[in-house]
Amino acid sequence: MLFSMTGFGKAVAVTPTKKITVEVKSLNSKQLDLNVRIPGCFREKEPELRNIVAAELERGKTDLIITAESIGAEPATTLNVEMLKAYKNQIVKASEELDIPQPSDWYSVLLRFPDTFHAESQDVISPEEAEALADATRRAVAALMEHRRSEGVKLEAFFASRIERIGDLLAKVEPYEAERVPRIRERLEEGLKKISVLDYDKGRLEQEMIFYIEKLDVNEEKQRLRQHLAYFIETMALPHGGQGKKLGFISQEMGREINTLGSKSNHAEMQKIVVMMKDELEQIKEQVLNVM
């Protein structure tokens, strides 16, 4: 089975104090390139979360985005009495030095100054929140992998149709190949008749013609190409995924055989078929980059 490197997954976890949302999205890349955006209160858990993602995704340019929303009771807030005292002393001193009256409503004046309240820190993650965060990350990754598998099914169908098309085109080579050798021999013999001096070793010439024609034989290229086509299909069917690089190597070998077939063809119709096979192969190569 194939997995695409393109996918998206999302999961939500709710604790008494927070709603945690985890999103994971990925695109194709040769290696795992993981970018993490995480609230400061969860920063200590980043290495653990990276391990959770890396264990499943293996490859792909991946974004892990985590957001946290406070819910339930508001954090406890208290007056900063020491700060209020300091502000009041400064106002009293300024009143004496500037010879202006002191305020009649001290609270309304003092509470306008910064840092007059204490709020409990939200930067410490509780064990319950840590467990919820890890669970949501696992579920988001699982959802992404399910998306990847869904896209992988589409890739399998795409590759199968292109491989079948190349096989059909390869079969069309044979009729032209059968008529190609007699035409080449005929063309060589006609060329010899045009030479004014005909004093040559006919036995040696026949050997050279046989050698030349054997160099144009494409049976080995056809056989190897058929083997590569079958190997591509077999590799797609492997059960655990991760075949992207291997399929890339196989498609390169297919390209070598098709190119050699084209260079040896020496026949206009065969060369047209080779061009069509190259077009199908290029489409395969483009999409292989998306396979995990």
Side-chain angles (χ1 to χ4, degrees), residues 15-16 27 31 63:
T15 72
L27 299 171
Q31 306 295 333
D63 290 321

Side-chain angles (χ1 to χ4, degrees), residues 27-63:
L27 299 171
N28 62 310
S29 177
K30 291 183 178 180
Q31 306 295 333
L32 178 61
D33 180 9
L34 179 57
N35 176 51
V36 180
R37 290 164 52 189
I38 188 170
C41 59
F42 295 157
R43 185 64 63 186
E44 65 184 84
K45 294 297 179 181
E46 182 176 338
E48 177 184 345
L49 301 180
R50 284 181 173 273
N51 290 336
I52 292 174
V53 175
E56 293 292 334
L57 267 57
E58 297 182 18
R59 295 174 63 197
K61 181 175 176 58
T62 305
D63 290 321

Side-chain angles (χ1 to χ4, degrees), residues 67-86:
T67 57
E69 177 185 350
S70 295
I71 59 176
E74 293 295 325
T77 303
T78 58
L79 284 173
N80 189 343
V81 177
E82 294 301 319
M83 188 64 70
L84 291 174
K85 286 180 181 179

Side-chain angles (χ1 to χ4, degrees), residues 187-224:
R187 190 164 64 246
L188 290 174
E189 290 175 348
E190 289 178 357
L192 287 172
K193 292 177 182 178
K194 296 178 182 179
I195 299 175
S196 57
V197 179
L198 298 177
D199 186 13
Y200 57 86
D201 186 339
K202 293 185 178 181
R204 176 64 182 274
L205 176 62
E206 184 70 20
Q207 290 179 351
E208 292 295 333
M209 288 179 63
I210 293 173
F211 176 71
Y212 174 70
I213 292 172
E214 284 180 347
K215 285 181 65 177
L216 299 179
D217 182 74
V218 295
N219 282 318
E220 289 187 8
E221 286 76 14
K222 292 193 303 178
Q223 181 179 358
R224 285 195 294 265

Side-chain angles (χ1 to χ4, degrees), residues 79 84 103-113 116-117:
L79 284 173
L84 291 174
S104 58
D105 186 355
W106 278 102
Y107 281 113
S108 63
V109 174
L110 294 176
L111 294 179
R112 295 175 187 172
F113 289 101
T116 55
F117 290 95

Side-chain angles (χ1 to χ4, degrees), residues 12-240:
V12 177
V14 179
T15 72
T17 57
K18 285 186 175 67
K19 177 182 178 182
I20 301 170
T21 302
V22 180
E23 295 179 344
V24 190
K25 54 184 177 181
S26 67
L27 299 171
N28 62 310
S29 177
K30 291 183 178 180
Q31 306 295 333
L32 178 61
D33 180 9
L34 179 57
N35 176 51
V36 180
R37 290 164 52 189
I38 188 170
C41 59
F42 295 157
R43 185 64 63 186
E44 65 184 84
K45 294 297 179 181
E46 182 176 338
E48 177 184 345
L49 301 180
R50 284 181 173 273
N51 290 336
I52 292 174
V53 175
E56 293 292 334
L57 267 57
E58 297 182 18
R59 295 174 63 197
K61 181 175 176 58
T62 305
D63 290 321
L64 173 64
I65 304 169
I66 298 172
T67 57
E69 177 185 350
S70 295
I71 59 176
E74 293 295 325
T77 303
T78 58
L79 284 173
N80 189 343
V81 177
E82 294 301 319
M83 188 64 70
L84 291 174
K85 286 180 181 179
Y87 284 136
K88 183 180 180 183
N89 290 336
Q90 292 181 52
I91 293 173
V92 170
K93 185 177 180 180
S95 174
E96 294 173 351
E97 292 182 358
L98 299 175
D99 193 23
I100 58 176
Q102 297 179 12
S104 58
D105 186 355
W106 278 102
Y107 281 113
S108 63
V109 174
L110 294 176
L111 294 179
R112 295 175 187 172
F113 289 101
D115 301 324
T116 55
F117 290 95
H118 278 306
E120 289 185 359
S121 175
Q122 297 294 303
D123 293 338
V124 179
I125 182 172
S126 68
E128 184 177 16
E129 291 170 348
E131 183 179 350
L133 174 62
D135 177 67
T137 302
R138 292 188 189 95
R139 288 188 285 113
V141 170
L144 181 142
M145 292 302 293
E146 183 62 29
H147 190 178
R148 280 184 163 189
R149 175 57 191 144
S150 176
E151 292 297 313
V153 171
K154 298 176 184 177
L155 287 173
E156 288 173 5
F158 176 86
F159 290 139
S161 66
R162 294 298 178 275
I163 293 295
E164 182 180 5
R165 173 66 173 157
I166 292 175
D168 292 342
L169 289 169
L170 184 59
K172 292 181 179 180
V173 167
E174 295 181 5
Y176 299 112
E177 183 185 5
E179 67 182 36
R180 184 175 58 119
V181 172
R183 283 188 180 183
I184 294 173
R185 179 184 290 273
E186 182 181 348
R187 190 164 64 246
L188 290 174
E189 290 175 348
E190 289 178 357
L192 287 172
K193 292 177 182 178
K194 296 178 182 179
I195 299 175
S196 57
V197 179
L198 298 177
D199 186 13
Y200 57 86
D201 186 339
K202 293 185 178 181
R204 176 64 182 274
L205 176 62
E206 184 70 20
Q207 290 179 351
E208 292 295 333
M209 288 179 63
I210 293 173
F211 176 71
Y212 174 70
I213 292 172
E214 284 180 347
K215 285 181 65 177
L216 299 179
D217 182 74
V218 295
N219 282 318
E220 289 187 8
E221 286 76 14
K222 292 193 303 178
Q223 181 179 358
R224 285 195 294 265
L225 181 55
R226 290 192 188 97
Q227 290 172 345
H228 294 327
L229 295 176
Y231 191 29
F232 194 101
I233 296 296
E234 291 173 8
T235 303
M236 283 202 303
L238 294 176
H240 303 301

